[in-house]
Amino acid sequence: MQRIEKYTYTFSKDNEPVATAKPGEILLFKTLDCFCEQIENESQLVAEIDLSHANPATGPVFVEGAEPGDVLVVDICNIDVADKGISCTFSDTGPLYESIEPRTREIPIEDGYAKFNDITWPINPMIGVIGTAPAEDDIACGYTGSHGGNMDSNKIAAGTRVYLPVRVPGALLQMGDLHATMGDGELSGTGVEISGEVTVKISLIKDFELNWPVTELKDRWYVNATGANYEESLILASKELARLMTPVYGWDASDILIYFSVQGFVEVNQGVKPIHDDMVNLRVGIPKTYGKTPLIK
Ligand code: CA
Ligand code: ZN
């Protein structure tokens, strides 16, 4: 199994591939936490670290045969995380920003549980940053867009299949920013930020139009989209999901909207200033139904 260890801070068509892989191959990505491991204990605040070294993504991997117009499929096989994570508050971030002080907390991980003050909860390791290179301008790994990037969906965990648009030859897959757990919206601006290792299997779907990253769970499909605000993101994700459903379900837009209204999911991935400069990344989903799947093939 190839081990991918080098990292970068941007998604870029000009990034030099650090490895080449074939569809069907299993790869191991070794990832650093979003602070590049600069925060070692609770006495260090985020404001004191070098933020030009934040949100590293491991890669990119050049996928043989991937061409613009294809879809890169990434099956998340396993995520192992370190035995300690970091969570923080920042002075200008999150719904309680007026009443908090900047703080760093270490969150130990023991036997699959995260410990915080006097409580524990089971970890659910997830990938915050995952995507392919955009066709045009570079996008810093801390940002998100139709290429993926810092989507911060807590559904991108082991067992999930991620579909990413291919915009440049080789797709240039990269990922990082693991969280041992993260709540919806990531309201302080951090999950349990942690280093670790991700094992994935990559495959390719040739010539299939995909405009935004899709996540397939055991029982659900989601489209992830980013806009300037909730309304714009909701429209972008809903339109893409409706477009993918149309040939599979054979329904028109009115029936699809009724179905969204009675069975759909709308959940916030991440939307906290200043991480996305007022952008909202959310996911709109539907349950999987026998005979009406897959949406992408
Ligand atoms: Ca993140
Ligand atoms: Zn993170």
Side-chain angles (χ1 to χ4, degrees):
M1 182 165 46
Q2 287 202 73
R3 213 179 146 82
I4 320 297
E5 300 199 34
K6 290 195 179 134
Y7 52 86
T8 173
Y9 299 100
T10 58
F11 284 85
S12 169
K13 61 183 185 311
D14 300 320
N15 280 349
E16 200 59 43
V18 301
T20 297
K22 290 186 168 58
E25 207 171 318
I26 294 173
L27 303 169
L28 187 146
F29 288 77
K30 186 169 167 34
T31 64
L32 298 180
D33 71 25
C34 70
F35 308 117
C36 253
E37 298 182 349
Q38 294 175 87
I39 297 184
E40 290 170 0
N41 57 59
E42 294 188 342
S43 71
Q44 291 173 277
L45 297 177
V46 173
E48 296 161 6
I49 67 168
D50 175 4
L51 286 175
S52 70
H53 291 265
N55 287 302
T58 302
V61 171
F62 184 99
V63 179
E64 285 181 14
E67 293 292 337
D70 298 343
V71 174
L72 181 66
V73 182
V74 183
D75 280 300
I76 317 293
C77 307
N78 186 57
I79 304 176
D80 282 326
V81 293
D83 55 11
K84 185 182 82 173
I86 299 283
S87 288
C88 306
T89 50
F90 314 93
S91 57
D92 56 356
T93 302
L96 305 181
Y97 75 96
E98 289 168 310
S99 50
I100 54 104
E101 56 183 24
R103 181 173 295 167
T104 294
R105 296 298 310 272
E106 293 178 338
I107 304 204
I109 311 294
E110 244 181 64
D111 299 327
Y113 280 77
K115 184 172 189 317
F116 181 70
N117 293 337
D118 48 356
I119 67 164
T120 64
W121 62 87
I123 63 170
N124 175 35
M126 53 156 278
I127 303 170
V129 171
I130 182 169
T132 53
E136 285 156 10
D137 293 346
D138 298 359
I139 301 175
C141 292
Y143 287 79
T144 180
S146 65
H147 69 298
N150 191 11
M151 291 189 284
D152 279 334
S153 163
N154 54 23
K155 303 295 188 198
I156 302 183
T160 294
R161 176 174 282 184
V162 183
Y163 298 84
L164 298 165
V166 177
R167 304 252 163 77
V168 302
L172 301 185
L173 172 68
Q174 45 192 61
M175 66 185 75
D177 183 28
L178 303 184
H179 302 155
T181 67
M182 188 198 86
D184 282 347
E186 200 190 36
L187 293 184
S188 86
T190 55
V192 180
E193 307 295 333
I194 199 159
S195 299
E197 293 183 345
V198 183
T199 310
V200 302
K201 182 178 178 187
I202 53 168
S203 46
L204 258 190
I205 295 172
K206 295 299 290 179
D207 283 325
F208 186 94
E209 183 186 346
L210 183 67
N211 300 305
W212 289 96
V214 164
T215 37
E216 179 187 358
L217 279 60
K218 184 166 55 67
D219 56 352
R220 294 181 185 188
W221 290 94
Y222 286 102
V223 172
N224 300 270
T226 302
N229 51 49
Y230 171 78
E231 291 78 5
E232 187 182 317
S233 303
L234 182 64
I235 289 171
L236 289 168
S238 300
K239 278 188 172 169
E240 180 71 350
L241 183 55
R243 191 185 65 78
L244 293 168
M245 287 171 68
T246 300
V248 179
Y249 282 67
W251 298 348
D252 68 4
S254 300
D255 275 358
I256 286 175
L257 181 59
I258 287 170
Y259 186 60
F260 285 171
S261 197
V262 296
Q263 277 285 285
F265 308 102
V266 178
E267 294 152 10
V268 177
N269 287 341
Q270 218 277 20
V272 183
K273 269 191 79 178
I275 303 295
H276 291 313
D277 289 346
D278 290 325
M279 294 180 94
V280 174
N281 181 262
L282 53 70
R283 54 182 186 263
V284 175
I286 49 166
K288 276 186 181 169
T289 300
Y290 181 73
K292 302 287 190 192
T293 194
L295 297 185
I296 300 173
K297 61 187 168 197

